[in-house]
Amino acid sequence: MTAPLEAEGPAAPPRSNGELVFAEPWESRAFGMAVSLYEAGAFSWPQFQAALIARIAAAPRDEPYRYYRLWLAALEDVLVGVDAVSRAEITARTQALARRPPGHDHGVTA
C-alpha cells in the first residue's frame, strides 16, 4: 500500500521536476511518519487529506506558507481523532523537546 499523494491541488506536496522537495530534515521525517502510519493502517488517506486541506484553509494568509508545518499539524489532528495519541501527550512531548539544550544533536559528536 502506498499513500496516494496528490499531484496538484491544496494537499499536493511541494515538488521540483516531479520529485518531492524538503527544505529541512524534519520535513522528510514528518512526511515519512504520515505515510508509514497510513500504510500501517492507523488512518485512511482521505482522513489525512481532509485534515491537511482544513489546516491549509485555516492558515493565516499574512504569514509565510509552511507546507510541512501544516502537514505535521494535520498528522497530529488525525492521530488525535483516531485516539492514537492525546492532544495532552503531543503538548507534553513538544514542551519536552523545546527544553532541549541549544545545539542538541541526537548523540552525534563532531
Side-chain angles (χ1 to χ4, degrees):
M1 180 179 346
T2 301
L5 298 175
E6 297 287 325
E8 296 180 12
R15 296 178 187 264
S16 177
N17 293 325
E19 298 292 322
L20 295 173
V21 175
F22 303 102
E24 300 285 337
W26 72 265
E27 294 176 348
S28 64
R29 290 191 292 270
F31 177 86
M33 282 191 303
V35 172
S36 294
L37 286 165
Y38 156 73
E39 289 175 348
F43 52 82
S44 72
W45 199 252
Q47 284 175 297
F48 180 74
Q49 285 177 310
L52 179 56
I53 290 168
R55 282 291 184 158
I56 291 169
R61 298 295 175 228
D62 59 341
E63 295 178 12
Y65 183 69
R66 303 256 197 289
Y67 179 83
Y68 286 107
R69 287 188 190 270
L70 300 172
W71 177 281
L72 186 57
L75 178 58
E76 291 172 357
D77 293 343
V78 169
L79 292 175
V80 168
V82 298
D83 293 325
V85 67
S86 72
R87 189 65 66 188
E89 289 171 304
I90 292 171
T91 300
R93 184 66 177 146
T94 301
Q95 290 171 345
L97 290 171
R99 288 191 298 270
R100 294 180 308 172
H104 179 72
D105 59 7
H106 302 284
V108 176
T109 58

